[in-house]
Amino acid sequence: MIDFDIHPESEQNRWESRFRKSHDDRVVLARFLAACLVGVAIVNVVPAAIYWYRWSSMDVVEPLPRWIYLQIFAALLHIVYAVFLVQVPDWASLRAVSFAMLAIAMTFGILSTGLIVGDGGGFIPQFLGLESGLVRRAGLWCVAMLCVATLASYLGGRESARWQRAESLLFGMRAAEQNRGGE
């Protein structure tokens, strides 16, 4: 049998339950995006780790090229934003991570353009300390990372907007229900 007697306490609990369920679903999604960022960080550091391993087994000791440090820095940025997203799973933090991924995508775009368009002797390959045989592969790597960072930015921004809209709709519906119940 359905109980049609609506009590204010049960109505309040119903709205809290709806909000909690919606919020918990979004938190899981934010943490999934954080896990994806950690995966991207691991993938991003693989070429640097391989080069570093080969460098450590060489007889002649040369300084490590600058691109190794920059690649590790990019991976650390991904990890920092993933930790931030796990600690503060909210639509605003998701939006902040989305903007950060957009800035990282822009950086990879600039690097890929400088590596692909140049003939291997331009400013960017020299700045990064890339050997001439690695310039083409580095350009393709930057394009791949550009696509991944752009995708992460898009998905994070889209989910942030949906999360914000869902929260405002739930709060608006609850306020309307309370106003209607108070009349």
Side-chain angles (χ1 to χ4, degrees), residues 43-45 47 71 108 136-146:
V43 168
N44 206 356
V45 83
Q71 195 119 19
F108 276 118
R136 181 100 175 124
R137 285 191 280 174
L140 294 175
W141 179 262
C142 285
V143 168
M145 289 296 108
L146 163 69

Side-chain angles (χ1 to χ4, degrees), residues 8-132:
E9 297 85 25
S10 65
E11 190 69 26
Q12 179 68 20
N13 288 340
R14 190 179 71 151
W15 283 108
E16 292 301 322
S17 172
R18 281 183 181 175
F19 178 74
R20 179 60 43 209
K21 183 177 179 331
S22 172
H23 185 266
D24 290 346
D25 290 345
R26 303 288 180 169
V27 167
V28 168
L29 195 57
R31 290 193 174 146
F32 175 74
L33 184 61
C36 289
L37 289 177
V38 170
V40 170
I42 291 169
V43 168
N44 206 356
V45 83
V46 166
I50 291 171
Y51 189 89
W52 198 343
Y53 177 74
R54 289 182 185 160
W55 174 81
S56 66
S57 64
M58 290 175 27
D59 292 334
V60 179
V61 178
E62 301 174 355
L64 282 171
R66 192 173 283 139
W67 69 268
I68 299 278
Y69 299 109
L70 293 174
Q71 195 119 19
I72 292 171
F73 177 71
L76 287 175
L77 275 177
H78 282 83
I79 296 224
V80 164
Y81 281 110
V83 168
F84 173 64
L85 206 51
V86 167
Q87 288 181 343
V88 187
D90 191 86
W91 66 264
S93 60
L94 196 56
R95 187 163 296 164
V97 170
S98 177
F99 285 133
M101 290 300 107
L102 194 58
I104 290 172
M106 181 190 72
T107 304
F108 276 118
I110 291 169
L111 290 174
S112 64
T113 302
L115 291 170
I116 292 173
V117 172
D119 60 351
F123 171 74
I124 291 180
Q126 288 177 356
F127 173 76
L128 295 175
L130 286 169
E131 301 165 2
S132 60

Side-chain angles (χ1 to χ4, degrees), residues 33 98 101-102 105 144-158:
L33 184 61
S98 177
M101 290 300 107
L102 194 58
M145 289 296 108
L146 163 69
C147 293
V148 169
T150 303
L151 180 65
S153 176
Y154 169 72
L155 293 175
R158 184 183 71 171

